[in-house]
């Protein structure tokens, strides 16, 4: 054993700062340091009884460190190679490597790309990354906090003592780093910071890959094992399946309230449960996609995920990240795409989150006129800061690339685009040109969409945008925002307003349904009947419908028939297929018992048939986003509230005729012009008896007469059932 030199503290001020907990650079004091006598090793292990240096090669004891006051142990060795520590605690003996014996961890290129806002793999670089450094397994931590005075990693592994694992500042990027040996998946941690304002605080990791289930607020070291995927075929076809010419029909859901265990009396389903129950259900109804309300970890369940704090971590409410990956893989094997709602507009002000992360407005704006959201009591990201915009883009790429997500629906885009969104005069700041447009947010959205398109071909990004901002779905290269699709909020508002009216008054509001096609092809649109329309006292879709019980169901069936035959991709919130009676409640499952009633079961059957007709008939989807795919036939029959239009596809595609009678009065012998003579097959009648209707119709087939009408060379003489939509296809060669 090497004889120890007399212990002397070379830097009393650093040691005093360490004991106080405000040592900014622990690497200057701890770990191995060259001295005149050889190498001085200092470790800080308050509570330890003894500490020995062990040779990493032959396990020989090199030295026993001398205990100093307050938990500092030191030894001076003439020569020192690789070593580890044997720590004798009062009730255990621990062997581990010295965190302060490792050199710089994050590469210069990584730091440069991060500072430029162009690091596309932040989720695999920053945060807590399980890895091997110099042959030692452990976890590398990295966090951006340029204005903090001190940052430490704290957790159960160090009794949440912020003095034990202080981090090194990489001043060129404001990033703090530390490698802690022998930590493993499941270890719980936070960052303890002394902010620029001198306030001591603990924060969850902004780049955590896993988080505690609320009400826990800590981050969790994620499993580093590679996810297992079997969806190569799906990914190869994804671009074609999500193109503007493809049928896209989305089932939107909240994972925690779709269905519960034990017939609604138990807890929420796990991702594995949902893979077994939800996937075959949605696929069986003929939907092409599932859209999940935000599953990024969020502190308050009542926000439904729209106030997330962990933009890289799936919520632990339904299982670990690898279980979520299994769910996505199962969806893909069943032919279902997976879309996630994603929230880059704002974040909650919880103390353990991003708010004043390093004692300054780091992720948000300092001025509340730019950085505070009055509608949601949240904070707005500072899109003009490159590190922040890069953080958000990296989050999007993480879901699309790492978890094979097929698309992101960006929430609250309108609130991002306008500086005066939901603000009165004097409550907002204009841009540099004096306007209301948020130029930094526009630049961020363009960067987002261009990056996703480049890095993840075939993936889509969808805008929930409610204003007339031009070019939302135009390419970035042509001056647009670059989204693949935009929610058609105008269609949704006009249509629901129309259907909520008593049919006797609908003739006075005919334009609610005829106005939409004037702009239907100005963007690539999705038609959403989303969760937003069945919460906050807005009532369920069924409850919005006027009339008695039969008429309510007939109106709802007609609404669905109109939606599925109208230009645009489709989205329906869960429960809509059941004709849910009550508003959606995130604390309860859907009203599955309603399927015992023929009217509710009929609506579910109708949704499945609408999806199958929509997917099977090219005229109903190939030109969804092309003006050539739609032509009015009956547009001015206000008195009878009848509408008719034709849907077309490319050459050789059979045209489809849609007729809507939106009053309770049947209309026999109603003439409608068509472009071709011969047979027209009735593909779907929302009044069919199997759907709970009156079963009035046209016996499945009609022959067009050479009797011009409505500007068409031929016509059909139809029976229009009450409160119904008919879908007919021309039979070629008939």
């Amino acid at each position: 054993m090497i004889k120890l030199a007399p212990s002397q503290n070379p830097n009393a001020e650093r040691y005093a700062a360490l004991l106080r907990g405000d040592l900014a650079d622990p690497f200057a004091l701890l770990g191995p340091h060259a001295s005149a006598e050889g190498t001085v090793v200092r470790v800080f292990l308050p509570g330890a009884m003894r500490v020995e240096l062990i040779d990493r090669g032959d396990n020989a004891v090199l030295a026993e460190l001398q205990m100093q006051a307050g938990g500092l142990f030191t030894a001076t060795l003439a020569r020192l190679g690789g070593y580890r520590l044997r720590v004798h605690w009062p009730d255990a003996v621990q062997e581990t490597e010295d965190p302060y014996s490792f050199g710089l961890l994050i590469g210069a290129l990584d730091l440069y790309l991060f500072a430029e806002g162009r690091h596309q793999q932040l989720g695999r670089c920053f945060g807590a990354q399980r890895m091997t450094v110099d042959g030692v397994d452990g976890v590398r931590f990295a966090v951006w906090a340029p204005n903090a005075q001190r940052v430490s990693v704290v957790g159960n592994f160090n009794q949440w003592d912020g003095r034990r694992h202080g981090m090194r500042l990489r001043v060129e990027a404001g990033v703090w780093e530390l490698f802690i040996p022998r930590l493993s998946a499941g270890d719980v941690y936070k960052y303890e910071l002394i902010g620029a304002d001198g306030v001591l605080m603990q924060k969850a990791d902004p780049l955590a890959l896993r988080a505690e289930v609320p009400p826990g607020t800590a981050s969790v070291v994620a499993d580093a094992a590679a996810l297992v995927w079997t969806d190569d075929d799906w990914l190869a076809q994804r671009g074609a399946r999500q193109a503007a010419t493809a049928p896209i029909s989305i089932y939107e859901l909240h994972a925690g309230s779709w269905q519960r265990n034990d017939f609604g009396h138990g807890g929420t389903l796990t991702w594995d449960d949902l893979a077994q129950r939800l996937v075959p259900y949605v696929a069986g109804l003929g939907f092409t996609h599932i859209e999940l309300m935000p599953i990024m970890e969020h502190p308050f369940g009542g926000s439904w995920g729209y106030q997330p704090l962990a933009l890289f971590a799936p919520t632990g409410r339904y299982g670990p990240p690898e279980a979520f990956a299994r769910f996505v893989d199962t969806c893909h094997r069943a032919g279902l795409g997976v879309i996630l709602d994603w929230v880059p507009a704002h974040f909650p002000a919880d103390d353990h989150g991003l708010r004043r992360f390093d004692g300054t407005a780091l992720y948000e704006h300092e001025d509340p006129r730019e950085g505070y959201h009055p509608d949601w009591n949240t904070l707005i990201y500072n899109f003009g800061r490159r590190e922040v915009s890069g953080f958000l883009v990296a989050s999007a790429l993480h879901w699309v690339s790492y978890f094979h997500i097929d698309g992101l629906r960006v929430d609250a885009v309108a609130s991002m685009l306008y500086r005066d969104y939901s603000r009165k005069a004097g409550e907002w700041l204009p841009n540099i040109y004096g306007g209301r447009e948020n130029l930094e947010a526009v630049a961020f959205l363009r960067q987002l969409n261009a990056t996703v398109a480049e890095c993840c071909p075939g993936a889509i990004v969808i805008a929930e945008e409610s204003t007339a901002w031009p070019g939302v779905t135009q390419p970035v290269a042509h001056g647009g925002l670059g989204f693949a699709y935009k929610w058609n909020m105008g269609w949704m508002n006009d249509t629901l307003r129309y259907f909520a009216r008593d049919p006797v008054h609908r003739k006075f509001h005919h334009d609610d349904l005829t106005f939409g096609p004037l702009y239907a092809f100005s963007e690539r649109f999705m038609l959403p009947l989303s969760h937003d329309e069945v919460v906050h006292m807005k009532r369920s879709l069924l409850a919005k419908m006027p009339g008695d019980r039969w008429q309510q169901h007939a109106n709802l069936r007609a609404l669905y028939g109109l939606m599925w035959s109208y230009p645009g991709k489709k989205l329906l919130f869960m429960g809509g297929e059941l004709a849910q009676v009550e508003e959606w409640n995130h604390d309860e499952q859907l009203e599955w018992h309603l399927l015992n009633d023929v009217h509710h079961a009929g609506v579910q059957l109708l949704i499945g048939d609408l999806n199958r007709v929509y997917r099977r008939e090219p005229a109903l989807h190939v030109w969804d986003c092309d003006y050539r795919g739609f032509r009015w036939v009956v547009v001015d029959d206000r008195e009878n509230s009848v509408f008719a239009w034709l849907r077309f596809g490319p050459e050789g595609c059979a045209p489809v005729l849609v007729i809507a009678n939106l009053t309770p009065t049947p209309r026999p012998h109603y003439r409608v012009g068509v472009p071709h003579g011969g047979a027209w097959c009735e593909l779907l009648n929302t009044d069919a008896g199997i759907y709970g209707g009156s079963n009035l119709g046209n016996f499945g087939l009609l022959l067009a007469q050479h009797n011009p009408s409505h500007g068409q060379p031929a016509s059909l003489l139809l029976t229009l059932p009450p409160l119904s939509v008919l879908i007919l296809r021309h039979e070629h060669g008939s």
Side-chain angles (χ1 to χ4, degrees):
M1 182 178 294
I2 299 175
K3 184 178 180 180
L4 296 180
S7 177
Q8 294 182 355
N9 190 334
N11 195 323
E13 182 52 41
R14 285 177 179 161
Y15 183 32
L18 176 67
L19 293 177
R20 293 194 306 268
D22 57 14
L23 179 60
D25 183 11
F27 279 86
L29 177 66
L30 302 177
H33 292 266
S35 71
E37 295 81 12
T39 301
V40 178
V41 177
R42 305 184 192 93
V43 298
F44 183 64
L45 296 166
M49 308 295 291
R50 294 170 50 208
V51 179
E52 297 170 307
L53 288 185
I54 308 298
D55 188 281
R56 283 180 57 188
D58 59 12
N59 294 325
V61 177
L62 300 176
E64 181 170 332
L65 280 72
Q66 183 174 345
M67 182 188 296
Q68 305 292 312
L72 185 70
F73 292 80
T74 66
T76 302
L77 288 78
R79 297 178 59 188
L80 180 65
Y83 69 92
R84 66 179 184 275
L85 307 172
R86 179 179 293 158
V87 185
H88 297 259
W89 302 101
D91 55 357
V93 177
Q94 172 194 19
E95 288 197 5
T96 184
E97 288 71 27
D98 182 359
Y100 297 98
S101 64
F102 297 91
L104 299 179
L105 301 169
I106 306 293
L109 180 59
D110 287 318
L111 295 177
Y112 172 78
L113 290 174
F114 169 72
E116 288 287 306
R118 295 190 292 113
H119 200 303
Q120 298 174 352
Q121 298 294 326
L122 280 182
R124 313 309 301 170
C125 181
F126 283 26
Q129 302 293 333
R130 292 191 65 200
M131 61 177 56
T132 300
V133 177
D134 296 341
V136 178
D137 293 336
V139 176
R140 185 187 71 189
F141 296 89
V143 62
W144 180 52
N147 304 300
Q149 299 182 36
R150 187 264 286 169
V151 182
S152 299
V153 184
V154 294
N156 289 332
F157 47 85
N158 62 12
Q159 292 75 53
W160 299 90
D161 185 347
R163 303 173 302 168
R164 292 272 301 274
H165 286 105
M167 305 178 77
R168 173 199 286 122
L169 174 62
R170 302 294 297 275
V171 293
E172 62 269 41
V175 173
W176 300 75
E177 63 176 15
L178 185 69
F179 178 73
I180 303 182
R182 306 203 182 197
L183 294 190
S184 57
D187 281 325
V188 175
Y189 71 98
K190 281 186 177 181
Y191 296 117
E192 184 177 277
L193 304 90
I194 298 178
D197 51 6
V199 174
L200 182 69
M201 52 193 167
Q202 289 188 356
K203 296 284 190 178
D205 189 348
L207 280 115
L209 301 179
R210 187 175 175 184
E212 278 192 314
V213 178
T217 59
S219 303
V220 180
V221 176
D223 192 339
L227 302 177
V228 178
W229 297 99
T230 62
D231 61 351
D232 287 350
D233 290 344
W234 167 268
L235 294 178
Q237 303 169 20
R238 181 170 68 180
R241 287 175 179 259
Q242 303 191 139
T245 54
I248 297 178
S249 179
I250 302 168
Y251 186 77
E252 183 195 29
L253 71 135
H254 178 257
S257 60
W258 175 74
Q259 197 175 89
R260 297 292 180 99
N261 282 314
D262 301 326
F263 305 102
H265 300 293
T268 57
L269 301 181
T270 65
W271 290 122
D272 291 325
D273 294 332
L274 289 165
Q276 293 179 10
R277 300 191 201 180
L278 172 71
V279 172
Y281 175 79
V282 176
L285 284 176
F287 287 95
T288 65
H289 287 71
I290 288 170
E291 180 172 325
L292 293 166
M293 292 165 69
I295 54 93
M296 300 77 191
E297 194 58 84
H298 48 283
F300 176 48
S303 77
W304 315 326
Y306 289 99
Q307 294 190 13
L309 274 180
L311 287 188
F312 291 76
T315 178
R317 291 169 171 86
Y318 318 122
E322 53 269 26
F324 175 64
R326 289 194 297 271
F327 170 78
V328 175
D329 196 55
T330 303
C331 289
H332 287 170
R333 292 202 308 272
L336 289 172
V338 181
I339 298 169
L340 297 185
D341 279 13
W342 182 64
V343 189
H346 59 119
F347 59 90
D350 298 63
D351 287 339
H352 68 281
L354 300 179
R355 182 178 67 89
R356 302 194 72 81
F357 188 80
D358 64 357
T360 68
L362 189 64
Y363 286 87
E364 69 272 34
H365 295 268
E366 185 70 48
D367 193 320
R369 292 174 293 177
E370 294 182 287
Y372 175 70
H373 232 310
D375 283 358
W376 304 305
N377 193 30
T378 53
L379 302 174
I380 301 169
Y381 286 104
N382 185 347
F383 303 111
R385 182 166 283 162
R386 289 178 298 184
E387 296 92 342
V388 174
S389 61
F391 163 80
L392 293 170
V393 170
S395 166
L397 292 176
H398 179 72
W399 297 103
V400 176
S401 60
Y402 186 67
F403 284 111
H404 291 202
I405 296 302
D406 303 293
L408 299 172
R409 176 263 195 185
V410 182
D411 184 62
V413 171
S415 74
M416 301 169 66
L417 292 174
Y418 299 98
R419 288 173 164 265
D420 63 345
Y421 182 87
S422 199
R423 297 175 186 271
K424 300 175 183 177
E427 295 179 348
W428 59 282
L429 296 178
N431 62 35
I432 58 173
Y433 302 109
R436 57 194 288 255
E437 299 81 8
N438 190 329
L439 303 179
E440 295 81 8
V442 171
F444 159 71
L445 291 171
R446 287 173 172 163
Q447 177 191 3
L448 165 72
N449 289 315
T451 305
V452 171
E454 177 185 359
C455 297
C456 307
I460 58 176
V461 186
I462 304 161
E464 189 254 324
E465 204 281 311
S466 56
T467 74
W469 186 280
V472 172
T473 58
Q474 290 299 308
V476 172
H478 296 165
L481 295 182
F483 286 96
Y485 298 99
K486 172 183 173 176
W487 275 20
N488 194 335
M489 310 296 282
W491 172 88
M492 180 269 296
N493 286 317
D494 292 346
T495 303
L496 289 182
R497 184 173 62 247
Y498 180 90
F499 271 86
R501 299 186 190 279
D502 189 302
V504 74
H505 300 304
R506 287 176 177 172
K507 61 184 177 181
F508 304 112
H509 304 279
H510 202 71
D511 293 344
D512 281 348
L513 294 192
T514 61
F515 179 64
L518 294 177
Y519 64 87
F521 308 104
S522 61
E523 303 276 7
R524 291 189 297 275
F525 279 120
M526 279 189 177
L527 310 181
L529 292 177
S530 74
H531 68 277
D532 275 332
E533 308 318 311
V534 294
V535 292
H536 300 320
M537 306 300 290
K538 295 178 183 177
R539 300 175 295 165
S540 69
L541 291 177
L542 181 69
K544 295 177 193 290
M545 301 295 115
D548 58 22
R549 181 169 178 265
W550 189 92
Q551 288 191 8
Q552 283 186 306
H553 281 87
N555 270 298
L556 185 62
R557 294 193 303 268
L559 168 63
Y560 291 155
L562 184 147
M563 172 179 172
W564 258 262
S565 56
Y566 188 90
K569 311 310 179 184
K570 325 300 177 189
L571 179 141
L572 180 67
F573 182 57
M574 66 179 194
E577 81 281 12
L578 309 180
Q580 186 110 339
V581 175
E582 301 296 333
E583 275 191 349
W584 168 58
N585 182 344
H586 72 276
D587 288 326
E588 297 179 5
Q589 69 170 0
L590 298 183
E591 297 175 302
W592 294 103
H593 64 277
L594 294 175
L595 293 178
N596 295 320
D597 181 280
V598 64
H599 294 91
H600 294 275
V603 171
Q604 185 191 53
L605 182 61
L606 172 65
I607 291 297
D609 286 349
L610 282 169
N611 275 326
R612 281 179 274 277
V613 170
Y614 171 62
R615 296 175 69 169
R616 188 179 64 225
E617 297 300 320
L620 289 177
H621 63 257
V622 173
W623 281 350
D624 253 342
C625 305
D626 189 319
Y627 72 92
R628 295 174 295 173
F630 178 90
R631 184 187 303 165
W632 279 115
V633 178
V634 179
V635 69
D636 56 357
D637 190 357
R638 295 174 177 269
E639 190 63 32
N640 294 314
S641 297
V642 171
F643 305 81
W645 60 86
L646 287 159
R647 297 293 308 277
F648 298 98
E651 185 176 353
C653 173
V656 167
L657 174 68
V658 182
I659 313 103
N661 173 23
L662 300 181
T663 69
T665 304
R667 306 201 182 278
H669 311 298
Y670 194 97
R671 188 172 297 278
V672 176
V674 291
H676 304 292
W680 287 75
C681 177
E682 191 174 76
L683 301 177
L684 189 140
N685 174 359
T686 65
D687 188 55
I690 57 173
Y691 305 139
S694 65
N695 217 28
L696 191 64
N698 298 277
F699 303 102
L701 193 71
L702 297 102
L703 290 177
Q705 304 171 0
H706 294 288
N707 188 348
S709 181
H710 300 108
Q712 302 295 325
S715 60
L716 296 171
L717 203 60
L718 300 111
T719 294
L720 304 186
L723 294 171
S724 67
V725 169
L726 303 177
I727 303 177
L728 301 95
R729 178 190 62 213
H730 181 249
E731 298 299 304
H732 286 294
S734 59

